[in-house]
Amino acid sequence: MQTVLVAGGAGFIGSHLCKKLLNDKYQVIAIDNLITGDRKNIDVLLRNKNFSFISYDISKDLKIGLELPHIDFIFHLASPASPNKKSPRSYINHPIETLLVNSVGTYNLLELAQKNNAKFLYASSSEIYGDPNVSPQKENYFGNVNPNGVRSSYDEGKRFGEAITMAYIRKHNLDTRIIRIFNTYGPYMQIDDGRVVSNFVNQAISNSPLTVYGSGKQTRSFCYIDDMVEGLRKAMFLDNTKGEVINLGNPDEKTILEIARIIKKITNSSSKIVFEDLPQDDPKSRNPDINKANKLLDWQPKIPLEKGLGQTIAYFKNL
Ligand code: UDP
């Protein structure tokens, strides 16, 4: 049985990935310091004998206090990811941890991969494109990033993470790939994460105002979690992805105001839509060009927005 280490395994995407890997009969070790992840995300997985959880900060020395078996694959998904300063879990409120987990944490995991001769996947982000001047965003676009703005801990952290991952390919020929994850949603998003989908869904089901930041004309493209997990698996386990940088996301682009209206309609909510200040450096558009993922991975998202939102709404209603 092969062993997979998932850093950030108690997070939203990480916990879904662990579940899928267990179904695929891998031995799975999740590692997470729980500053933004949550033990409840992995509660049911802990009953599986092939799953184990280590509460640890990968930005700290991995050689101290950690006894790991031989590892065959490493997914690095550990990082705060919400830009919402109102959320206690956001990277705005954990800027130093965010920079460290994507720099020192990535270095530590790359060293571990090299020692184990493991395949490595770095979860980068559409944030490396910043506030893009081109749309859709293709992997060869360098981005438009404020290097010291409020979002820079995440943007520049991810950019550093990409740079050091590429350095390990060039210098050590390590078997690594970089995946740029665009906005992803679904069950097990944190209710207090401050992301737009979890906010709007929870506001709508409690009939409180839907808080649109700015004019609501900014766009995002939302990928359902199951599609994202499938893309991540293919990117790791197929043979043709070594050294590649690949966007994963759903190109179905919508304005935030449209998202508010769709969620209000599906939940049959009497919520009002209110407008609040636009956060600093909020990107005006986001839309992945996924031709490369389509070609290399034979991957494209299958779950339409309304269906994915239906499942997300059902999850939050059940909490
Ligand atoms: N947003 C909003 N209301 C909210 C939360 C977010 O209008 O309650 C906006 C936010 O300003 C951004 C978009 O929705 O333009 C997506 O925000 P999110 O934090 O989900 O992710 P981002 O793509 O900005 O990282």
Side-chain angles (χ1 to χ4, degrees), residues 18 85 99 166 213 249 252 278 280 286 288:
C18 288
K85 69 173 184 220
L99 280 159
M166 289 311 289
Y213 300 162
D252 180 16
L278 187 69
Q280 196 187 326
R286 271 296 153 69

Side-chain angles (χ1 to χ4, degrees), residues 58-78:
I58 56 153
S59 305
K60 304 226 167 81
D61 194 333
L62 296 187
K63 289 181 229 73
I64 299 171
L66 273 193
E67 278 186 33
L68 294 169
H70 176 76
I71 309 278
D72 300 289
F73 303 94
I74 300 176
F75 286 89
H76 178 8
L77 294 150

Side-chain angles (χ1 to χ4, degrees), residues 81-84 91 127 151 183 194-197 199-200 203 211-213 218 220 222 256 278-279 282-283 286:
S82 168
N84 197 325
Y91 62 73
E127 277 288 320
R151 292 174 87 108
N183 294 67
R195 307 309 294 268
V196 69
V197 170
N199 273 8
F200 286 177
Q203 290 162 344
T211 53
V212 170
Y213 300 162
Q218 70 272 33
R220 295 292 186 275
F222 293 95
I256 294 304
L278 187 69
D282 197 284
R286 271 296 153 69

Side-chain angles (χ1 to χ4, degrees), residues 8-305:
F12 164 51
I13 298 180
S15 59
H16 280 274
L17 178 66
C18 288
K19 187 173 166 198
K20 185 73 187 145
L21 293 169
L22 289 167
N23 284 342
D24 291 345
K25 301 286 176 246
Y26 288 98
Q27 181 92 32
V28 178
I29 304 171
I31 186 164
D32 202 301
N33 67 352
L34 301 174
I35 64 165
T36 59
D38 204 315
R39 203 178 276 268
K40 77 168 177 4
N41 291 347
I42 51 167
D43 261 355
V44 337
L45 305 185
L46 286 165
R47 282 181 230 140
N48 188 317
K49 67 173 177 10
N50 294 325
F51 181 75
S52 54
F53 173 64
I54 303 171
S55 177
Y56 197 79
D57 182 352
I58 56 153
S59 305
K60 304 226 167 81
D61 194 333
L62 296 187
K63 289 181 229 73
I64 299 171
L66 273 193
E67 278 186 33
L68 294 169
H70 176 76
I71 309 278
D72 300 289
F73 303 94
I74 300 176
F75 286 89
H76 178 8
L77 294 150
S79 177
S82 168
N84 197 325
K85 69 173 184 220
K86 292 183 198 158
S87 165
R89 298 181 196 263
S90 70
Y91 62 73
I92 306 283
N93 290 313
H94 296 283
I96 296 164
E97 292 92 333
T98 303
L99 280 159
L100 289 179
V101 78
N102 285 294
S103 53
V104 180
T106 308
Y107 165 71
N108 285 339
L109 292 181
L110 285 162
E111 283 288 306
L112 186 70
Q114 208 190 344
K115 203 174 98 195
N116 284 267
N117 199 19
K119 280 177 94 169
F120 184 88
L121 182 150
Y122 178 60
S124 183
S125 165
S126 56
E127 277 288 320
I128 65 98
Y129 299 120
D131 187 8
N133 294 321
V134 299
S135 190
Q137 292 84 52
K138 229 178 156 62
E139 288 86 351
N140 61 6
Y141 175 52
F142 292 172
N144 175 35
V145 175
N146 178 347
N148 50 40
V150 289
R151 292 174 87 108
S152 64
S153 58
Y154 190 69
D155 302 9
E156 295 296 352
K158 289 292 177 196
R159 289 168 79 97
F160 181 94
E162 290 203 7
I164 193 167
T165 302
M166 289 311 289
Y168 271 75
I169 299 174
R170 294 188 181 115
K171 183 91 185 158
H172 299 301
N173 197 26
L174 198 73
D175 191 343
T176 85
R177 66 274 306 119
I178 293 168
I179 300 304
R180 294 183 179 149
I181 297 178
F182 283 66
N183 294 67
T184 302
Y185 71 100
Y188 293 96
M189 292 182 93
Q190 299 283 12
I191 194 164
D192 60 351
D193 206 27
R195 307 309 294 268
V196 69
V197 170
S198 46
N199 273 8
F200 286 177
V201 166
N202 285 291
Q203 290 162 344
I205 59 187
S206 61
N207 291 312
S208 44
L210 268 59
T211 53
V212 170
Y213 300 162
S215 65
K217 288 192 185 131
Q218 70 272 33
T219 67
R220 295 292 186 275
S221 311
F222 293 95
C223 183
Y224 189 64
I225 182 67
D226 293 357
D227 285 326
M228 181 55 62
V229 166
E230 183 56 14
L232 290 169
R233 280 174 67 237
K234 286 188 154 183
M236 177 65 101
F237 297 118
L238 291 178
D239 287 334
N240 58 349
T241 58
K242 182 174 173 183
E244 298 291 348
V245 178
I246 308 169
N247 286 339
L248 287 182
N250 191 324
D252 180 16
E253 186 176 10
K254 295 265 185 298
T255 68
I256 294 304
L257 195 53
E258 279 176 291
I259 295 290
R261 291 190 178 127
I262 292 168
I263 291 176
K264 195 167 131 66
K265 189 168 155 232
I266 310 182
T267 49
N268 206 11
S269 169
S270 61
S271 295
K272 280 196 257 171
I273 293 178
V274 297
F275 294 87
E276 297 189 355
D277 288 345
L278 187 69
Q280 196 187 326
D281 293 338
D282 197 284
K284 285 181 273 311
S285 70
R286 271 296 153 69
N287 184 357
D289 182 318
I290 56 164
N291 283 310
K292 190 169 176 184
N294 194 237
K295 205 166 117 207
L296 281 183
L297 313 177
D298 188 23
W299 175 89
Q300 59 189 32
K302 295 197 180 105
I303 318 245
L305 184 64

